[in-house]
Amino acid sequence: MKIIVTGGAGFIGGNFCHYMVNTYEEDQIICIDKLTYAGNMETLAPILEKENFTFYKADIADRKAIFEIFEKEHPDIVINFAAESHVDRSILDPEVFLRTNIIGTSVMLDACREYGIQRYHQVSTDEVYGDLPLDRPDLFFTEETPLHTSRPYSASKASADLLVQAYVRTYHLPCTISRCSNNYGPYHFPEKFIPLMIANVLNDKKIPVYGKGENVRDWLYVEDHCIAIDQIVRKGTVGEIYNIGGHNEKTNLEVAKTVLKELGKGEEYIDYVTDRPGHDRRYAIDPTKIHEELGWLPGTPFEAGIKKTITWYLENRAWWENIISGDYQNYYEKMYKDR
Ligand code: NAD
Ligand code: TYD
């Protein structure tokens, strides 16, 4: 089978490419990535020379470029990870989020219609459901929870989901959608909370915790997300949405303390900074459907996953130091100075 993976030079798409190339030698994995600030060829270096891997540098919102790749490759399956993914950046500058996340998705869907595919899979996020109150631990996001977005990032992802559903209903395009909770693991860009903390502490800098650190996220080790997507594409039902999560809710403060403890540092490294505007309080996935229909369960508990992640950042300093020594410094200044 020929499988197009967009956004494969990013965090989750990169882990997915590694997983697929190494698990299914008979399949051809074709990665399309624009290589934005978040895309990194170093992430793909370990698989770049493999016979069952091909890379194209292209923008998913560039209709001509995408159609040319489809004309050449005639893929069987398309999995769309490519996106602008950072909430804080979407607050600073929403426009590129609309272009990539909505227009880009529409171009990918049109290419699938034109050339015919067995399956299109949209990698979405639990953030499309909005947030849950902190004092109602009994509430979870199910696939029936109404879309209720609160920032440009999630609004753009929800718009893409609606488009995918429209293409299923109108054109009978065989699509599935997954909505996953927060991921962590190797190759995670250091603007995001967990790798930002690890990189800061390894450089003997404090870690910025927004507000009081009370917000809750439901953390999943990235490989578990990759396995879930693979199962949805192979065994999931066309037209369905699958939530992915492992009931691993933690406050940001709990996560910060865990990272500090693992790195042998104390709580004096925590710097409480001004909160994110309209900061979503709690995300929590109910994964009953994917468990019951596809038998998926997360394989890596948080305690083991965070140790593996920290070890990876210790052993791969060049990967993240390269990132934080470039343009990232300007972003960090803009985001955290005077905060
Ligand atoms: P990321 O920012 O690390 O990577 C995004 C990748 O997409 C980069 O390689 C970038 O170069 C590429 N890209 C961006 N715009 C592009 C364009 N116009 N054309 C082609 N490529 C483009 O993101 P991530 O954290 O790996 O997220 C991947 C997907 O998973 C996204 O769709 C995101 O919404 C979703 N998701 C992420 C999380 C999470 O915790 N990170 C959780 C749930 C869902
Ligand atoms: P993030 O990794 O940006 O993911 P998301 O906003 O998509 O959940 O942030 C995870 C949580 O950590 C979120 O509640 C915001 C918080 N956070 C901080 O407290 N400090 C930081 O420097 C960052 C980047 C995030």
Side-chain angles (χ1 to χ4, degrees), residues 11 23 53 57 64 69 73 92-93 152 159 175 194 207 220 227 235 252 263 278 281 294 296 322:
F11 166 45
T23 310
F53 184 75
K57 182 176 186 305
K64 186 167 171 286
I69 296 171
E73 299 288 354
L92 287 178
D93 181 12
S159 306
C175 305
I194 288 183
I207 57 182
L220 184 74
I227 293 170
K235 302 190 290 186
N252 292 338
L263 288 167
R281 294 160 295 175
L294 307 182
W296 177 88
N322 249 344

Side-chain angles (χ1 to χ4, degrees), residues 84-95:
E84 287 292 334
S85 69
H86 192 36
V87 172
D88 288 328
R89 288 188 194 249
S90 85
I91 296 169
L92 287 178
D93 181 12
E95 194 177 342

Side-chain angles (χ1 to χ4, degrees), residues 16 77 79 119 121 176 228-236:
F16 187 76
I77 290 173
I79 306 176
R119 179 68 67 86
H121 182 75
T176 38
I229 291 174
D230 182 30
Q231 291 188 1
I232 293 168
V233 168
R234 283 166 204 267
K235 302 190 290 186

Side-chain angles (χ1 to χ4, degrees), residues 5-65:
V5 176
T6 71
F11 166 45
I12 308 174
N15 277 280
F16 187 76
C17 285
H18 285 223
Y19 174 77
M20 295 297 282
V21 164
N22 294 321
T23 310
Y24 301 106
E25 285 185 2
E26 66 284 9
D27 289 340
Q28 190 64 32
I29 309 303
I30 301 154
C31 172
I32 301 178
D33 198 295
K34 186 183 178 184
L35 298 179
T36 66
Y37 80 93
N40 189 343
M41 286 310 282
E42 285 303 311
T43 297
L44 293 172
I47 54 170
L48 213 48
E49 300 304 322
K50 295 262 186 171
E51 269 185 18
N52 63 339
F53 184 75
T54 313
F55 180 82
Y56 289 95
K57 182 176 186 305
D59 179 346
I60 59 162
D62 180 342
R63 191 167 286 268
K64 186 167 171 286

Side-chain angles (χ1 to χ4, degrees), residues 61-189:
D62 180 342
R63 191 167 286 268
K64 186 167 171 286
I66 294 301
F67 274 57
E68 274 171 16
I69 296 171
F70 272 67
E71 176 71 37
K72 190 163 169 222
E73 299 288 354
H74 288 278
D76 303 294
I77 290 173
V78 173
I79 306 176
N80 187 25
F81 289 87
E84 287 292 334
S85 69
H86 192 36
V87 172
D88 288 328
R89 288 188 194 249
S90 85
I91 296 169
L92 287 178
D93 181 12
E95 194 177 342
V96 67
F97 284 73
L98 311 187
R99 184 173 187 279
T100 290
N101 300 1
I102 306 175
I103 304 296
T105 298
S106 80
V107 169
M108 293 305 298
L109 290 166
D110 283 340
C112 290
R113 268 186 74 205
E114 177 74 19
Y115 289 93
I117 35 99
Q118 287 175 27
R119 179 68 67 86
Y120 172 90
H121 182 75
Q122 178 72 5
V123 180
S124 185
T125 162
D126 62 354
E127 300 192 27
V128 299
Y129 297 122
D131 65 349
L132 296 164
L134 291 175
D135 59 358
R136 290 291 307 274
D138 55 314
L139 297 180
F140 295 93
F141 297 137
T142 73
E143 289 78 1
E144 270 67 54
T145 302
L147 300 183
H148 187 82
T149 59
S150 45
R151 56 197 74 260
Y153 165 62
S154 48
S156 68
K157 293 295 290 184
S159 306
D161 287 8
L162 292 174
L163 264 180
V164 174
Q165 288 177 304
Y167 275 60
V168 173
R169 179 89 186 261
T170 310
Y171 306 114
H172 306 292
L173 198 69
C175 305
T176 38
I177 296 174
S178 56
R179 294 177 178 153
C180 190
S181 61
N182 285 62
N183 285 212
Y184 69 99
Y187 301 107
H188 202 180
F189 195 86

